[in-house]
Amino acid sequence: MRPPTPSGSTPSGSTPSGSTPSGSTPSGSTSSGSTPSGSTLLARAALALYPPSWRARYGDEVRALLDDSGGGLAAVASVAWRAVPAWISPPRHLHDRRARMRSSLATALMAWSMLTGLGLVFAQLTQFQGFTAPGHPEVRWAYAVFDVSLALSALVAGFGGLPLWLLMLRRAWREHRPRDLVYVLLPLIAPAAYLAVLIVTIRLVGGAQGVSPWWFLVVTLAGFAAAAAAAAGPGLALRRLQPRGPALRLAVAAAGVAAAVMAVAAVAIVVAVTGLCLWARHFAGYHHGTIPGVYLALVVTATTVTTVSAARGTRAALADT
């Protein structure tokens, strides 16, 4: 993918009439070390939408093009829109296959963790509360599909990623890299710390009916923070240790399967929540569609990121075999 060229910009390598030759600075102009006048906040925000590897290769060039074109809103919008294909189909020359596998695996792991957290919230606020829609078995079927899909996805991700995790653990230990060792162990440390804090919190503020809604919100947000930390640790270790070989390919393949199965679980969530909003409006939380709508939007977003990242990693793994 070539860098986007804003309308009205000067082709690379040419000198527009009346401009100052390269190497000289016209009187009153900005020096080469300062920020160009056309590099507006909108332009920087548009470039921030691109993958890091793309920005590293094309960022300066696109900033210069935006500056030449005046950095207008139309040019910035054009640059921002082209970020979508840059993520979906990144230029192959910007990544070697192993780097693509590691990057996709780290992104898919983070998104999968968030999607799993959303799934657990779904289970807590539907199945564990006994919410059903009498006369509509679709909701119960959606519960069953979700349970099976979530368990299967976790098993595939765990067993498929275990060899790579052990490989990074041994290397961090053997090379005396304490920071990387902590990163690798975060999937164990973060959940254990969260469970300890959860037990203490429930004992201190819980009552006969459990914790209050506000404390439930606090516990839920803390759970997402723990999941993010548990997923970010291996992602940082992948970037620093740069593992390769069969263990990496196995983990990427497992991530692809786990993402596909988790997408089925996401569909089950959508069916169940929609069914409760349509047929069980007497339950609290399903009177209006605002909160369920926001929740389903988060589920769809996490599912999309997970499946796209896993698919990109799987393509790189197949090309590397």
Side-chain angles (χ1 to χ4, degrees):
M1 175 183 174
R2 298 178 63 186
T5 303
S7 176
S9 63
T10 304
S12 177
S14 64
T15 303
S17 60
S19 64
T20 304
S22 175
S24 63
T25 304
S27 177
S29 65
T30 306
S31 63
S32 59
S34 61
T35 303
S37 58
S39 296
T40 62
L41 291 176
L42 285 177
R44 295 192 187 100
L47 287 174
L49 299 174
Y50 284 81
S53 59
W54 196 100
R55 294 198 305 270
R57 171 61 180 85
Y58 295 121
D60 293 338
E61 183 177 349
V62 174
R63 286 191 196 94
L65 291 173
L66 287 171
D67 187 50
D68 290 341
S69 66
L73 185 60
V76 172
S78 176
V79 171
W81 172 251
R82 293 168 183 261
V84 176
W87 280 103
I88 296 176
S89 181
R92 293 185 177 181
H93 66 278
L94 296 182
H95 290 281
D96 60 54
R97 295 188 182 98
R98 296 175 182 86
R100 167 51 52 206
M101 285 189 281
R102 290 191 292 265
S103 176
S104 297
L105 185 59
T107 304
L109 178 60
M110 178 64 73
W112 182 89
S113 299
M114 295 299 101
L115 183 56
T116 301
L118 290 170
L120 294 176
V121 171
F122 161 78
Q124 174 65 34
L125 297 180
T126 54
Q127 297 187 72
F128 294 168
Q129 304 298 326
F131 292 166
T132 58
H136 297 278
E138 297 91 340
V139 174
R140 289 190 177 275
W141 278 109
Y143 289 167
V145 171
F146 167 78
D147 292 340
V148 174
S149 299
L150 180 64
L152 182 59
S153 180
L155 287 175
V156 171
F159 283 107
L162 183 61
L164 179 62
W165 184 81
L166 292 174
L167 175 67
M168 293 192 297
L169 181 64
R170 287 195 298 268
R171 181 177 174 186
W173 178 266
R174 185 172 59 249
E175 296 179 3
H176 304 289
R177 303 173 67 160
R179 179 181 297 180
D180 294 329
L181 191 62
V182 172
Y183 289 155
V184 175
L185 291 175
L186 269 178
L188 301 179
I189 297 173
Y194 173 72
L195 288 176
V197 172
L198 179 62
I199 292 173
V200 173
T201 302
I202 292 176
R203 289 183 176 179
L204 291 177
V205 302
Q209 302 298 325
V211 297
S212 66
W214 285 110
W215 275 108
F216 176 78
L217 179 61
V218 171
V219 168
T220 300
L221 293 178
F224 278 105
L236 292 171
L238 283 168
R239 181 183 302 177
R240 292 168 58 87
L241 296 174
Q242 298 187 356
R244 59 183 64 195
L248 177 61
R249 290 194 294 271
L250 175 62
V252 171
V257 176
V261 176
M262 200 62 186
V264 177
V267 172
I269 291 175
V270 173
V271 171
V273 172
T274 304
L276 290 173
C277 289
L278 292 176
W279 307 314
R281 299 176 63 85
H282 54 283
F283 290 127
Y286 299 100
H287 299 298
H288 305 286
T290 302
I291 295 178
V294 172
Y295 172 78
L296 291 181
L298 294 175
V299 170
V300 171
T301 301
T303 303
T304 302
V305 175
T306 303
T307 52
V308 170
S309 299
R312 288 167 59 187
T314 301
R315 287 198 300 268
L318 291 175
D320 191 57
T321 54

